[in-house]
Amino acid sequence: MANAYLVGIYNKIIDQEKLQKYVVDALPAMMANGGKKALARSGNITQIEGIPPERAVILEFESVESAKNAYNSEDYQAALAKLDGGADRFLFVIEELNN
């Protein structure tokens, strides 16, 4: 089974306080529900092309299904409720190539 990576792109942080409340619980919730490791979590982004986001996150999971289960977990949904409009962002899961 190929690893999968949950990628979060934060185009605009609207409410820093809400983001901080979310961040406290979000990563532990993802790790407790199948996350293997956090590969990157930062606002320190170097622009190469286009408009860089304000923040990005990359988490490793054993599969796409595992990442989706972590996202839908009760723990993560409770953390997500704390964000409540505090950021303009999108999340997606990408599967590792099996070469």
Side-chain angles (χ1 to χ4, degrees):
M1 191 176 311
N3 283 335
Y5 303 91
L6 184 139
V7 180
I9 304 295
Y10 292 73
N11 294 312
K12 176 100 176 120
I13 297 169
I14 298 163
D15 186 324
Q16 188 68 36
E17 187 175 316
K18 285 183 178 182
L19 178 64
Q20 289 307 314
K21 288 178 181 177
Y22 160 78
V23 167
V24 167
D25 294 331
L27 182 62
M30 285 291 189
M31 295 298 111
N33 288 285
K36 290 172 69 174
K37 106 172 100 162
L39 300 174
R41 294 173 61 215
S42 179
N44 186 11
I45 297 170
T46 302
Q47 178 184 1
I48 293 178
E49 185 176 318
I51 300 169
E54 291 187 15
R55 179 177 174 83
V57 176
I58 304 171
L59 304 178
E60 183 178 6
F61 290 84
E62 72 176 36
S63 67
V64 170
E65 194 62 33
S66 178
K68 289 167 60 178
N69 288 341
Y71 177 84
N72 290 313
S73 71
E74 189 175 313
D75 295 342
Y76 180 74
Q77 289 300 306
L80 184 58
K82 294 176 182 179
L83 186 57
D84 187 33
D88 171 26
R89 70 178 194 156
F90 61 94
L91 300 174
F92 59 91
V93 179
I94 186 168
E95 196 168 33
E96 184 175 67
L97 289 175
N98 283 330
N99 291 358

